[in-house]
Amino acid sequence: MRVLVVGGGAIGMLSAQRLAEAGLEVHLLDQGPLGQESSWAGGGIVSPLYPWRYSPAVTALAHWSQDFYPALGERLRHETGIDPEVHVTGLYWLDLEDEAEALAWAAREKRPLEAVDIGSVHQAVPALGPGFSRALFMSGVANVRNPRLLASLRAALLRMPNVVLEESRAATGFVREGGRIVGVSTPSGDLRADRVVVAAGAWSGKLLATLGLELPVKPMKGQMILYKCAEDFLPRMVMADGRYAIPRRDGHILVGSTLEDVGFDKTPTEEALASLKASAEALLPALAGAEVVRHWAGLRPGSPEGIPYIGPVPSCEGLWLNCGHFRNGLVLAPASCQLFADLLLEREPIIDPAPYAPAGRIG
């Protein structure tokens, strides 16, 4: 079987890797360089920002992926020499309004989330600002250095003889024979395959619209900023009022993010920069004197309730989806791509696939 994967972010590359490991011929293409869109632009926290606020469908994928990430990071480092830096720090949530709901969720799901004394938080994170009164902490939460994860995935795919990677080649539509999808059209000619997989992130809805299908996935802009501090400046991830600070191993600190419904505009704005700096300085006052190393924007694939679309499209034989992960693409990628591969290869799925099925969810 020859499979064509459209979209070269974390979801597309991991999907390609899973299929190639099963012996399939895989052709992956992206409209730009691989791994340069939403997967690159996010923070890389290996947890939904507020996991108790999501549906059981998102929770099931998140739990599987969180348990899988350390082994994935080590395997990619060993195979490619590029360390994705799966960095286990734990995460503090400060002054939550729904603390009781969070703790009830943790008890139900058996996750290590607990209330901690604010004094102990200041001891663990000396740089934390004043004014916070309550905290929850979850140990074991990691962040992954997403640009390095994407680089290692690309390197791993390049080593596989049954994988073809094509960058800067956009899919503009689909090739149909009768009611079956047999490929995609591109500006430089058609590409054909036995199965076509749309893993094109925020562009997935736009591509499926060429078939007259209404996939409720749209771009949601997010802006972030990056600081460089001492390596021991921030030993834990911290989050308050919807904004977070993430430490990398080398002392880089990411602060994000905005959530803007402005179409495909990725232009960073001064308004967002000021807002992110204010959040950064409220969390970590010492950042007031630090230089912003970088400020950027990316486009998340927004979807209803953040539940991705994983599986075949019933009205278009040969067409499959693995898209619509909204803010949790990196979090959910290992489980989503394993589930996708299980379905396409007709294996026993790792979790119940019903909540993610495109059937009944697209127009």
Side-chain angles (χ1 to χ4, degrees), residues 99-154:
E99 190 172 294
E101 290 87 342
L103 292 169
W105 170 88
R108 187 170 64 249
E109 298 291 335
K110 298 181 173 56
R111 305 308 280 186
L113 180 72
E114 59 180 348
V116 293
D117 178 75
I118 196 66
S120 70
V121 184
H122 282 282
Q123 285 185 326
V125 186
L128 185 68
F132 299 107
S133 59
R134 303 184 321 280
L136 297 185
F137 180 67
M138 187 185 289
S139 62
V141 181
N143 68 78
V144 61
R145 197 159 184 170
N146 31 324
R148 294 183 63 87
L149 171 68
L150 297 159
S152 63
L153 282 170
R154 183 180 183 277

Side-chain angles (χ1 to χ4, degrees), residues 8-69:
I11 300 294
M13 284 198 278
L14 265 175
S15 296
Q17 185 186 53
R18 290 291 171 268
L19 297 179
E21 286 171 345
L24 277 60
E25 297 289 329
V26 181
H27 192 138
L28 183 148
L29 73 155
D30 194 279
Q31 63 184 352
L34 295 182
Q36 294 299 301
E37 292 293 346
S38 181
S39 300
W40 181 93
I45 302 176
V46 186
S47 170
L49 295 183
Y50 297 98
W52 53 89
R53 297 178 187 173
Y54 283 91
S55 71
V58 173
T59 298
L61 292 172
H63 286 180
W64 196 95
S65 290
Q66 286 169 320
D67 295 338
F68 187 79
Y69 249 111

